[in-house]
Amino acid sequence: EAGVAQSPRYKIIEKRQSVAFWCNPISGHATLYWYQQILGQGPKLLIQFQNNGVVDDSQLPKDRFSAERLKGVDSTLKIQPAKLEDSAVYLCASSRSTHGNTEAFFGQGTRLTVV
Amino acid sequence: QKEVEQNSGPLSVPEGAIASLNCTYSDRGSQSFFWYRQYSGKSPELIMFIYSNGDKEDGRFTAQLNKASQYVSLLIRDSQPSDSATYLCAVNPNSGYSTLTFGKGTMLLVSP
């Protein structure tokens, strides 16, 4: 079974530029998460999809971040315009079920550096 | 704000010893609990999950859950240098969805 795929692996942009990350979850997984992990901290949930609907985006900075999950499969996370404090690893994860008792599996992440 | 607390460490143990990693959570209604291992520069990898009070063993790993005390722990027996990593505790709050809230992680260093 293929894992969660993310691209790109690394991205360096200047502040005020825009950037997009792509995620392909494990086949058949209904739930998809985007997490932001700043160095030395645990992952922070940005947005959670169940199929193609949003169930939690309470910590997403909606003035600059947006995300979509078309047809309940792939997802894209966009930042526009980027700030220095957005430098982090952006992790995509997926889980099979919509219930709490299911494990989430992570992709390799995208390391974003904003200069 | 539902919180998950972990001692950031580092926790240093000699090879062959038992490493004990602890986690507390604020939401009393939390239902499921996960331990992830994260090597430096890598993504989190699931190693254990536990849903019921008591102990759950998997090889050298034992997860312990005490819902009354809102406390979950991970024991690693016969620690190896390859166990050196950051261990993240994740909790599914009683939100009705499969949301995971993570702690900041505890760094474990196992010395040869």
Side-chain angles (χ1 to χ4, degrees):
Chain A
E1 178 177 74
V4 177
Q6 289 188 247
S7 67
R9 290 291 313 278
Y10 305 93
K11 191 75 176 178
I12 301 175
I13 62 172
E14 295 182 350
K15 59 184 179 183
R16 292 188 289 274
Q17 287 188 323
S18 63
V19 64
F21 313 127
W22 172 82
C23 173
N24 181 243
I26 295 172
S27 177
H29 279 199
T31 300
L32 185 148
Y33 314 80
W34 283 102
Y35 284 89
Q36 179 193 58
Q37 188 173 25
I38 293 172
L39 187 64
Q41 299 184 19
K44 182 182 87 171
L45 180 69
L46 292 176
I47 189 166
Q48 178 180 344
F49 294 94
Q50 281 182 196
N51 298 305
N52 60 349
V54 175
V55 298
D56 188 345
D57 63 357
S58 57
Q59 298 189 88
L60 186 74
K62 298 181 184 64
D63 57 336
R64 298 185 300 107
F65 286 65
S66 64
E68 60 181 4
R69 188 182 185 195
L70 299 177
K71 300 181 181 177
V73 183
D74 292 8
S75 179
T76 303
L77 176 70
K78 296 179 181 178
I79 308 175
Q80 181 179 12
K83 293 185 176 182
L84 295 177
E85 60 260 37
D86 298 332
S87 295
V89 175
Y90 291 84
L91 295 163
C92 179
S94 69
S95 64
R96 180 175 301 280
S97 173
T98 57
H99 299 110
N101 291 0
T102 59
E103 310 90 271
F105 299 92
F106 284 84
Q108 291 184 302
T110 296
R111 183 175 299 276
L112 174 67
T113 302
V114 182
V115 298
Chain B
Q1 180 74 18
K2 299 178 174 66
E3 295 183 349
V4 177
E5 300 288 343
Q6 295 182 258
N7 188 321
S8 61
L11 172 66
S12 296
V13 301
E15 184 174 358
I18 296 175
S20 177
L21 303 160
N22 304 315
C23 172
T24 59
Y25 58 95
S26 63
D27 185 351
R28 183 170 290 278
S30 296
Q31 296 295 317
S32 48
F33 308 85
F34 304 85
W35 283 100
Y36 285 81
R37 178 176 62 200
Q38 187 172 30
Y39 292 113
S40 180
K42 302 294 185 182
S43 60
E45 170 193 15
L46 180 69
I47 53 172
M48 289 281 299
F49 58 87
I50 187 166
Y51 305 145
S52 304
N53 274 332
D55 296 358
K56 179 182 179 183
E57 186 174 319
D58 183 1
R60 296 187 295 113
F61 298 97
T62 299
Q64 299 176 318
L65 175 60
N66 184 326
K67 288 187 177 180
S69 299
Q70 296 176 236
Y71 176 91
V72 58
S73 64
L74 179 70
L75 301 179
I76 306 175
R77 290 181 300 281
D78 188 24
S79 294
Q80 301 296 310
S82 58
D83 294 326
S84 297
T86 296
Y87 289 79
L88 297 163
C89 174
V91 175
N92 173 242
N94 188 21
S95 66
Y97 297 108
S98 54
T99 302
L100 285 180
T101 300
F102 282 83
K104 292 185 176 182
T106 298
M107 182 181 293
L108 172 66
L109 298 175
V110 182
S111 53

